Every structure is written in C-alpha cells, then in structure tokens.
Amino acid sequence: MGNRLSKIYTRTGDDGSTGLGDGSRVPKDSLRVAAYGTVDELNSTVGMVLACDGVPDDIAEALTQVQHELFDLGGELCIPGMAMIDDADITRLEQVLDRFNDPLPPLKDFILPGGGMAASCCHLARTVCRRAEREVVALGREESIRPQASRYLNRLSDLLFVLCRVLARASGHGEVLWQHERRRKPAPPAA
C-alpha cells in the first residue's frame, strides 16, 4: 500500500467522481467502479460466511484464500492494465471445487437458498458473485480487461454453490429442494 490513509474523508468525491488506482478520476457510477465495488461486496459476503458458527476448517481455509484473491481482483479492476489474477488461481479454484464436490451425491433437483445460516450466507455470496461476473463482462465490452477476471468469478460462483451444499449438509439442516410439482396444473377449460 503506497500511501497510508491517515484521514478517511478527502471530499474529492463530493462531485460524484472517484479516483482509480492509477490516479485517474472516473464517475462513481462507471462500469469499472461498479465491477470492483461488487467484488468488494462479494468479499464482504464471503466474510459473512466465515463469521457463521460451525463452518468447517477446510471451508474456512478455502474461503480465506478466496478473500485474498478477491482483494487482488478488486485491485486489478481498480488499476487499468494491472494483472493480479492468473490462470493458476483459476486452476486452484477448480481443484478445491472438485475436492468438495466429489463426495456429494448428484443433484437431481434445484435447491433453494437455505439450509442453515452458513449455507444461506454462502448462497448470498454466490448470487453476488454472479452479479460481479455480469458487471465484469459488461466492463469488458467497453474497456480492455483480462479474461482471467471473469473466468475467476465464474469458477468461484460454482465453488460457492458446491460449498452451499456442503454447509447445508454439515449443519444438519440439509438442502432445501425446490418443489416444482407443488403447483397443480389447471384443469383444461370445459368444452
């Protein structure tokens, strides 16, 4: 960190702009700011999962590593031209995902967000991750960004989904299956 913040408010953003990591200023509602802001929100939701009681150590370790990588990704998005997430990070996510997914039974139905507090928080993180991915894709249509950013988020959302399943089972609540057959089909109109 180059400059330490000794004063939190600067008033420089009062005009609706914010400074990027390279010193340039952009509107606070720019695609770039939205993308790294949502990555920051995602990191916060991962922190919520970690704050839940009963998160197994191996999941806590995996998610703590993810938090560091999300901070790296936010930095990459905040500094145009910066490269911090690489193919090895994506490969590591795939390996972690496979390790947690392999013991799970095949999923035959959609699951609802739920299954205990940790699983529910993880579902929230998963949906924020999908939004972050959409915003990075939108940014990539307007500005040059590296493909590793959206690929990382795509794999991370898959990992978070698998961790939702693991956490729901570990909590004893189990997965909440979508009951798609609960709606009765309307009777055909009388002729």
Side-chain angles (χ1 to χ4, degrees), residues 7 10 23 33 50 54 56 63 67 78 82 84 100 129 161 182:
K7 190 173 185 178
T10 61
V33 175
L50 289 168
L63 290 179
Q67 283 197 300
C78 181
M82 175 64 75
M84 296 184 79
F100 284 108
C129 188
F161 177 76
R182 77 192 187 296

Side-chain angles (χ1 to χ4, degrees), residues 64-92:
T64 299
Q65 179 67 30
V66 163
Q67 283 197 300
H68 288 284
E69 291 165 353
L70 287 173
F71 210 85
D72 293 339
L73 178 57
E76 179 172 327
L77 294 170
C78 181
I79 304 170
M82 175 64 75
M84 296 184 79
I85 295 295
D86 58 31
D87 292 334
D89 297 314
I90 297 163
T91 299
R92 188 193 64 76

Side-chain angles (χ1 to χ4, degrees), residues 1-165:
M1 198 168 147
N3 296 325
R4 298 264 179 217
L5 294 175
S6 58
K7 190 173 185 178
I8 299 302
Y9 64 91
T10 61
R11 297 189 177 108
T12 58
D14 290 351
D15 65 353
S17 69
T18 191
L20 296 180
D22 65 357
S24 63
R25 295 199 68 78
V26 297
K28 288 185 177 185
D29 61 352
S30 73
L31 291 174
R32 184 170 292 278
V33 175
Y36 73 72
T38 304
V39 168
D40 185 34
E41 183 182 349
L42 170 58
N43 207 338
S44 296
T45 60
V46 171
M48 289 174 58
V49 177
L50 289 168
C52 292
D53 292 333
V55 173
D57 290 343
D58 54 349
I59 292 177
E61 182 181 328
L63 290 179
T64 299
Q65 179 67 30
V66 163
Q67 283 197 300
H68 288 284
E69 291 165 353
L70 287 173
F71 210 85
D72 293 339
L73 178 57
E76 179 172 327
L77 294 170
C78 181
I79 304 170
M82 175 64 75
M84 296 184 79
I85 295 295
D86 58 31
D87 292 334
D89 297 314
I90 297 163
T91 299
R92 188 193 64 76
L93 280 183
E94 291 170 347
Q95 291 167 347
V96 171
L97 192 156
D98 289 342
R99 187 177 84 232
F100 284 108
N101 189 54
D102 286 346
L104 292 174
L107 193 58
K108 297 178 181 174
D109 293 297
F110 289 106
I111 60 172
L112 299 178
M117 184 56 76
S120 295
C121 288
C122 198
H123 276 290
L124 179 60
R126 174 187 57 79
T127 60
V128 173
C129 188
R130 286 290 189 203
R131 180 162 36 95
E133 181 186 4
R134 291 190 301 271
E135 291 179 359
V136 167
V137 168
L139 173 62
R141 286 197 185 104
E142 301 294 322
E143 298 184 41
S144 177
I145 59 166
R146 299 170 60 250
Q148 287 85 350
S150 60
R151 287 177 52 220
Y152 180 88
L153 291 168
N154 186 277
R155 294 310 180 288
L156 178 57
S157 64
D158 292 338
L159 172 60
L160 291 170
F161 177 76
V162 166
L163 293 181
C164 291
R165 296 190 67 201

